[in-house]
Amino acid sequence: MNLYNLEKNNSIKYIKEKPFKLERDIQNVFENNLTTIMGLTLVKSEFSIKNKRIDTLAYDNQSNAFIIIEYKRSKNISVVDQGFTYLSLMLENKADFIVEYNETLKSTLKRTDVDWSQTRVIFVSTSFTENQKTATNFKDIAIELWEVKKYENNLISINPVKKSKSAESIKPITSSNTKLASVTKEIKVYTEEEHLENKPEEIKELYDAYKEAILNLTDDIDVRANKLYIAFRKEKNLSDIVILKKGLKIFINLTKGALDDPKGLMRDVSNTGHWGNGDYEVVVKDTKHLEYIMSLIKQTI
């Protein structure tokens, strides 16, 4: 991606890339801005366990799961092998991660509070090779790649590497390896297809209509399925959708009192247990209020 600066006379000036000098520089950027970039909470920098060092240990409060982040300037690494090593390390030493969380954040997290199936590893690098991208292009692999670049004028671009729509399952590949199979058995990467499974065609079409409308609100909205809902993210969750048998339950991620809803369409769930993020939800069975609901979701951007 080329970046340009728009000058006063409407001419453009190419902005040169200024590569990070050290891997630690990349790590500092992410750890100091982890909530803004990934919506995660920093638990520990340089976390050591069983003679291995994890660059950044983070926690995802939305999925209740630990996240391991590794930073790489070198392209000569096998992200899949290393990723599975870290996933296995965590699953075999859950108590150590709980203790670190509680001691560092002065909390009382219990092992049962954590959804270990949502654990994932994130690799951050200035670029990845095509082989690395291909090796992680599986819809159910708990490994993510994020590219970061630094430019003149202190500009930084950060982009997750998205999997292709035709990405297949990694399970047939890992089934022949006992260690890898044990990891994929415990860790679950959810997909949109699973949420839509066995749902009537009209509900699938309804979901597609709302999905397309949300994605058209602004650029770079990421669609991420987890156990309970499908999230639409841009730095944070904007809206979450739970697919029902006879409709969709849509959540808007704003706190009570922060949403301007003149029609009073949304229901206040601030004091009610619910799956999605935010204090507002609505159940829809058609597209009658689609445009109005989009105007409400846009308030989160």
Side-chain angles (χ1 to χ4, degrees):
M1 179 178 68
N2 293 331
L3 294 181
Y4 299 89
N5 189 59
L6 182 63
E7 304 291 309
K8 290 182 179 179
N9 60 357
N10 282 329
S11 63
I12 59 175
K13 180 182 178 182
Y14 177 67
I15 300 177
K16 296 179 182 179
E17 184 179 352
K18 293 184 68 175
F20 289 94
K21 292 181 179 180
L22 302 171
E23 183 180 297
R24 182 70 203 188
D25 294 336
I26 302 175
Q27 185 170 349
N28 287 337
V29 169
F30 272 75
E31 289 186 345
N32 290 330
N33 301 278
L34 203 54
T35 300
T36 300
I37 297 171
M38 294 179 168
L40 304 177
T41 299
L42 175 64
V43 177
K44 181 76 172 182
S45 179
E46 308 295 336
F47 175 50
S48 296
I49 178 173
K50 306 296 182 183
N51 298 319
K52 291 188 181 296
R53 180 181 59 81
I54 292 172
D55 289 342
T56 300
L57 177 62
Y59 193 79
D60 187 340
N61 290 295
Q62 293 184 348
S63 62
N64 297 318
F66 284 101
I67 311 297
I68 293 171
I69 306 174
E70 289 292 304
Y71 309 92
K72 302 297 178 186
R73 292 187 73 252
S74 171
K75 295 182 181 180
N76 299 317
I77 59 168
S78 171
V79 290
V80 173
D81 289 345
Q82 189 173 2
F84 271 95
T85 296
Y86 281 120
L87 290 171
S88 179
L89 179 70
M90 179 178 289
L91 296 177
E92 292 172 0
N93 300 277
K94 294 176 181 177
D96 296 271
F97 286 83
I98 295 291
V99 169
E100 187 61 47
Y101 181 98
N102 287 333
E103 290 184 352
T104 303
L105 300 183
K106 310 302 180 185
S107 184
T108 56
L109 187 72
K110 299 177 182 178
R111 184 183 298 204
T112 53
D113 294 332
V114 181
D115 186 350
W116 299 96
S117 72
Q118 295 294 282
T119 301
R120 65 185 190 274
V121 175
I122 299 175
F123 288 99
V124 178
S125 178
T126 53
S127 65
F128 293 96
T129 66
E130 285 305 313
N131 284 340
Q132 289 171 326
K133 292 178 181 179
T134 301
T136 56
N137 189 39
F138 294 94
K139 63 182 181 181
D140 52 1
I141 191 171
I143 298 173
E144 297 179 12
L145 306 181
W146 287 60
E147 289 187 334
V148 56
K149 294 184 183 296
K150 182 182 178 183
Y151 300 88
E152 295 175 314
N153 303 325
N154 292 320
L155 292 176
I156 292 179
S157 69
I158 301 173
N159 296 290
V161 177
K162 295 185 178 181
K163 296 176 173 58
S164 68
K165 293 183 179 179
S166 59
E168 298 180 353
S169 172
I170 196 174
K171 291 181 180 179
I173 298 175
T174 59
S175 60
S176 59
N177 184 307
T178 304
K179 188 172 184 178
L180 298 186
S182 64
V183 171
T184 54
K185 183 179 180 180
E186 184 162 355
I187 291 180
K188 172 70 175 175
V189 179
Y190 293 88
T191 65
E192 286 180 276
E193 290 76 17
E194 287 172 302
H195 281 273
L196 291 165
E197 199 171 88
N198 299 322
K199 298 298 189 299
E201 285 302 316
E202 57 268 25
I203 296 302
K204 294 179 182 179
E205 291 179 7
L206 184 64
Y207 170 73
D208 286 340
Y210 277 89
K211 173 185 175 180
E212 182 179 356
I214 294 174
L215 295 180
N216 285 334
L217 290 176
T218 186
D219 294 333
D220 301 324
I221 292 181
D222 184 37
V223 182
R224 178 174 295 174
N226 63 25
K227 182 187 292 186
L228 302 176
Y229 53 80
I230 299 172
F232 294 82
R233 294 177 55 89
K234 186 177 175 69
E235 298 169 358
K236 65 173 184 177
N237 282 27
L238 307 178
S239 178
D240 305 319
I241 295 181
V242 177
I243 300 177
L244 310 172
K245 289 184 178 180
K246 295 184 179 181
L248 307 175
K249 184 176 288 187
I250 301 175
F251 294 89
I252 296 180
N253 192 13
L254 288 173
T255 57
K256 182 179 179 180
L259 181 69
D260 181 15
D261 178 16
K263 292 185 179 181
L265 186 67
M266 305 300 295
R267 185 168 77 98
D268 175 9
V269 292
S270 57
N271 294 315
T272 305
H274 55 280
W275 287 350
N277 294 280
D279 292 338
Y280 297 95
E281 74 167 35
V282 64
V283 175
V284 298
K285 297 182 179 181
D286 52 43
T287 57
K288 178 181 178 181
H289 298 292
L290 188 147
E291 290 188 11
Y292 179 72
I293 292 173
M294 291 307 109
S295 72
L296 301 181
I297 295 175
K298 198 166 186 178
Q299 295 179 37
T300 65
I301 299 174

